[in-house]
Amino acid sequence: PPELTDHIITMVADPTTLCACALVCRAWLPASRLRLFRDIEITTAKAYDLLVSRVLHSDTLRPYLRKTVLLTLYTKRQDGAKRCLDTASRLFLCNFAGHLDHVGFLGLRKIKWTEHLPRMGEPLLFSSFKSVTYLSLVDCKFPSLHFVRRAITALPKLVDLRLRYVTLADHHERSPSVYPVGPKLEKLNL
């Protein structure tokens, strides 16, 4: 029965197996897609570009983004990779605003917001992810403490915050200085 196959598909965690399930038959496709889009991990600029072009701009696939629960963006340094996720992660806030209704976990790792001067309202774009209860910022570089504070306070349901190796660039000096944000906070419950 379809209910049984849907339940089995929801238990599968391997993306390769889920892609194979999606190709088996038309009846397995919705359950496979729901499970595939439940947890999204973007590690390269190419993966980000594919997510935007093939999913976000697709009327058929875009509704599956509303079922995403966990989203992680981080730069996986690879040999020969010239473009990293720094620019893409900043675009992420604009591109996916209003499309990820159920994301509870948002993880950003190795993202540098200091590559280009941030726009004044950029940290407030975090407010479009109203369902985020857990935010993880690991090895990120921000332009100022004010930017970090505005981004964090823009998340209305935030309960769990993880800051680890977060640094700030001081733009008031000619050469940017890096200061750690307080002690190494592993977990902060608000």
Side-chain angles (χ1 to χ4, degrees):
E3 298 84 16
L4 184 58
T5 57
D6 287 352
H7 181 69
I8 292 169
I9 290 171
T10 60
M11 302 307 238
V12 177
D14 180 44
T16 308
T17 306
L18 286 167
C19 288
C21 289
L23 296 173
V24 169
C25 67
R26 194 176 299 230
W28 288 22
L29 184 61
S32 301
R33 283 184 175 167
L34 276 174
R35 183 64 179 105
L36 271 170
F37 286 105
R38 186 177 179 277
D39 302 337
I40 297 177
E41 184 177 277
I42 304 167
T43 59
T44 64
K46 183 178 179 181
Y48 178 82
D49 292 341
L50 288 171
L51 184 68
V52 170
S53 64
R54 294 191 181 164
V55 177
L56 188 62
H57 296 302
S58 167
D59 292 335
T60 308
L61 296 177
R62 186 180 327 112
Y64 288 101
L65 290 174
R66 297 200 180 279
K67 302 298 181 185
T68 302
V69 175
L70 183 141
L71 181 78
T72 307
L73 281 157
Y74 69 93
T75 301
K76 184 188 258 184
R77 303 286 181 200
Q78 298 173 342
D79 294 334
K82 295 184 179 170
R83 187 170 162 234
C84 62
L85 268 173
D86 296 334
T87 306
S89 62
R90 294 177 72 178
L91 291 174
F92 161 77
L93 295 174
C94 296
N95 289 338
F96 288 90
H99 296 289
L100 298 166
D101 294 342
H102 298 292
V103 170
F105 175 90
L106 180 60
L108 303 173
R109 187 184 314 155
K110 294 185 180 181
I111 307 296
K112 311 240 178 311
W113 258 273
T114 56
E115 295 296 315
H116 305 283
L117 208 56
R119 295 191 175 105
M120 189 66 144
E122 191 170 351
L124 298 179
L125 289 172
F126 279 90
S127 66
S128 61
F129 303 95
K130 293 177 175 62
S131 60
V132 172
T133 57
Y134 182 94
L135 176 65
S136 176
L137 302 173
V138 178
D139 200 18
C140 293
K141 186 174 182 181
F142 293 98
S144 67
L145 184 59
H146 180 67
F147 184 97
V148 176
R149 182 188 59 80
R150 289 183 75 197
I152 291 170
T153 57
L155 295 167
K157 292 186 178 179
L158 187 66
V159 175
D160 201 344
L161 173 64
R162 179 181 184 190
L163 298 175
R164 190 168 186 202
Y165 307 116
V166 174
T167 55
L168 304 173
D170 186 2
H171 288 290
H172 301 296
E173 300 176 3
R174 289 189 180 187
S175 63
S177 305
V178 177
Y179 302 101
V181 178
K184 294 178 186 174
L185 290 172
E186 291 294 325
K187 195 171 186 180
L188 174 66
N189 292 318
L190 301 174

